[in-house]
Each structure stands twice: as C-alpha cells, then as structure tokens.
Amino acid sequence: MFVRTVEPAFYDTDALGHVNNTRLPAWFELARNDLFRLFTPDLDPRKWRLIMARMEVDYRAELQYGREIEIRTYVSRLGNSSFTVSQEARQDGKLTNLGHTVMVHFDHATKQAVPIEGALREALEAHRQEEPADA
C-alpha cells in the first residue's frame, strides 16, 4: 500500500464550507503516481503504458478544511491486462471516501491491451490487498 498526506488548501473548499467533491478525483490521481512509476519510472508521458477504463468515488462523509487527509492506494484486483486501484481518503482516522479505478496496461502505438507479466505483475502483487472492514 502507498500512503500520501494531503493538506487541503482554502480554495479546495466550497460554499458549504467543506472540501469540494471535485477535489477527490484529483487527489486520488496524484496518489496513483506511486503505482504509475511501476509502469513508467520517470512518469514521461511519451512512454506511458496505461489507460483508465473506469473511475468511481463513494462519498461517505464530509472532508474538512484545516485537517490533513491521508490517501491510501493499493491494488484490489489484478487481471490479465487490467487491474483495479482502490483508494481510501481518511481524515482523523475515519474513512470518508472510497475510490476504485480500473487501469489497463496499454500499448498506445498498437491501441491494444498488453498482458501484465513478470516483474511488473510481481510489483503489483506486492501492493495487492483487500478492502478494509470499514469500507
């Protein structure tokens, strides 16, 4: 599992005074950089080997300005050429948001999915885990 901490900025809030729901997909994408580096270590977009097939976010509780948010990122499913990245946003130890993103190992030149094999599969397996009980 990869863990990052985000400190919300004032502009991340909305008229209701809590963190706006549009910020979570952006923070989840930022936190996926750790997994992206397994495919493209230098994050050079000209060497990119992934596409996103699906993204969903469950909003379970409000996030508050002025308190750090912990984002946990892990692989919850590993298929032949695709995998699901699960992400949790937690504030004060409480699960506030849960996201799932399906990523496909992809060859952009041939426009084809590519099997996940060898050391890459092993690296993803090392970050594989089940969703938490409070999910």
Side-chain angles (χ1 to χ4, degrees):
M1 175 181 355
F2 298 101
V3 179
R4 286 192 179 223
T5 301
V6 175
E7 183 179 352
F10 184 74
Y11 72 85
D12 292 325
T13 63
D14 60 21
L16 297 174
H18 59 264
V19 173
N20 189 282
N21 64 316
T22 62
R23 299 308 298 146
L24 261 297
W27 290 339
F28 281 170
E29 181 177 7
L30 172 67
R32 285 194 299 271
N33 276 349
D34 297 315
L35 276 173
F36 293 162
R37 286 183 194 285
L38 298 177
F39 291 84
T40 309
D42 62 0
L43 299 179
D44 183 343
R46 294 167 298 188
K47 303 175 196 169
W48 210 250
R49 299 167 42 193
L50 292 166
I51 59 170
M52 179 188 297
R54 177 183 172 88
M55 180 179 69
E56 61 186 33
V57 178
D58 295 335
Y59 297 92
R60 298 177 177 205
E62 294 177 347
L63 291 168
Q64 304 298 319
Y65 172 72
R67 301 194 327 253
E68 290 183 339
I69 298 163
E70 180 184 81
I71 298 179
R72 300 177 183 180
T73 302
Y74 51 92
V75 174
S76 58
R77 182 194 62 80
L78 183 56
N80 182 46
S81 60
S82 68
F83 59 101
T84 301
V85 180
S86 292
Q87 295 180 280
E88 306 166 19
R90 293 178 175 266
Q91 193 169 54
D92 302 324
K94 178 182 176 184
L95 178 64
T96 59
N97 306 86
L98 181 62
H100 301 286
T101 305
V102 177
M103 303 296 300
V104 179
H105 188 211
F106 196 76
D107 182 328
H108 289 275
T110 64
K111 305 296 183 198
Q112 299 271 333
V114 177
I116 300 169
E117 301 173 328
L120 182 56
R121 179 170 282 281
E122 291 173 14
L124 290 172
E125 281 286 359
H127 296 285
R128 188 172 178 185
Q129 71 178 60
E130 300 295 320
E131 289 185 17
D134 59 349

